[in-house]
Amino acid sequence: VLGLERKLMRSLLFPTVEEADIAFHLALMNSGWNPSTLANIDAESPYLVTPHPKDQGKLVLTSEGFFESQDEEEEATLQASKARARGNMQFCTGLVKHTASPPFIVAAYIKRVTPLREMLKRQYVEAVKELEDMRNRQADAKIIEAQYLKTQELRQGCFNVWLYVNRKGDIKWLHTDSWNRYKPSGYTKLVSYLTLALDRLNTR
């Protein structure tokens, strides 16, 4: 009735790729971690965002995905394993009330994309069943391989924090394979979000 495009309506409900990049880079800047560690944190881990040890028992995670606290100085902790450090745990703390702190950003982002993650899980289950059917009827090896790769990709998405919906309406996620995903006016090649942000700052 109002003439709203589907693309616009989706962007009101779920993050776009640029919003995903904004949240990711803000968390990255304030965490001190390397991009690979932050990009590969496990969204399904119950220990991903927790109260700081000194504040155990004082904080409660609300249905909105934020910690409920009466003390402005109470902190939350973000933790993940670092592949380059042989899986050793990395920790990052931030004030619960500070909306730019990495624990706050990650907890809020996970909450916002919960419906997307549930949809990916359903797609994964369906893809696995289809793969089993292909194997049972001895389908062509190349078709089976393509389906297997599809299941592995969906499985990766199920655990990725940084989900978003692209212009076509597909669920995608940030990964470290390539950071170049924007093509501003005047560019012949794709550029990263940092290049995009710097161009805007220079223009202003």
Side-chain angles (χ1 to χ4, degrees), residues 53-102:
K54 70 179 179 62
D55 294 324
Q56 286 285 353
K58 297 180 182 179
L59 304 180
V60 178
L61 190 64
T62 69
S63 59
E64 287 74 31
F66 307 107
F67 283 110
E68 191 174 68
S69 169
Q70 302 300 321
D71 188 343
E72 293 287 336
E73 297 304 315
E74 288 176 354
E75 297 178 313
T77 299
L78 175 67
Q79 54 184 311
S81 61
K82 183 178 180 180
R84 294 181 181 179
R86 298 181 181 179
N88 289 336
M89 296 302 294
Q90 306 292 299
F91 298 91
C92 172
T93 61
L95 293 176
V96 172
K97 298 296 185 180
H98 195 332
T99 56
S101 72

Side-chain angles (χ1 to χ4, degrees), residues 1-15:
V1 178
L2 298 177
L4 294 177
E5 295 181 346
R6 289 183 180 180
K7 182 175 67 176
L8 175 59
M9 290 189 287
R10 285 195 296 263
S11 68
L12 295 175
L13 289 173
F14 304 114

Side-chain angles (χ1 to χ4, degrees), residues 110-184:
I110 287 177
K111 182 64 180 178
R112 186 179 178 193
V113 300
T114 294
L116 302 182
R117 195 175 315 284
E118 293 305 316
M119 186 175 293
L120 277 180
K121 289 178 180 178
R122 291 195 294 271
Q123 291 177 3
Y124 172 70
V125 171
E126 292 172 1
V128 169
K129 289 182 179 178
E130 190 172 347
L131 177 61
E132 292 175 353
D133 291 341
M134 288 178 178
R135 286 171 171 167
N136 290 335
R137 64 173 186 267
Q138 297 181 342
D140 183 81
K142 290 184 177 179
I143 297 177
I144 292 177
E145 181 182 6
Q147 184 66 17
Y148 172 77
L149 292 175
K150 178 182 178 180
T151 62
Q152 293 306 298
E153 182 181 8
L154 287 170
R155 186 173 183 273
Q156 182 185 43
C158 290
F159 292 98
N160 193 292
V161 168
W162 313 104
L163 303 179
Y164 64 89
V165 178
N166 68 10
R167 292 184 177 183
K168 296 180 180 179
D170 299 323
I171 303 173
K172 298 293 182 179
W173 50 91
L174 302 185
H175 50 75
T176 55
D177 293 346
S178 174
W179 296 104
N180 298 330
R181 39 183 159 263
Y182 301 93
K183 194 173 182 180

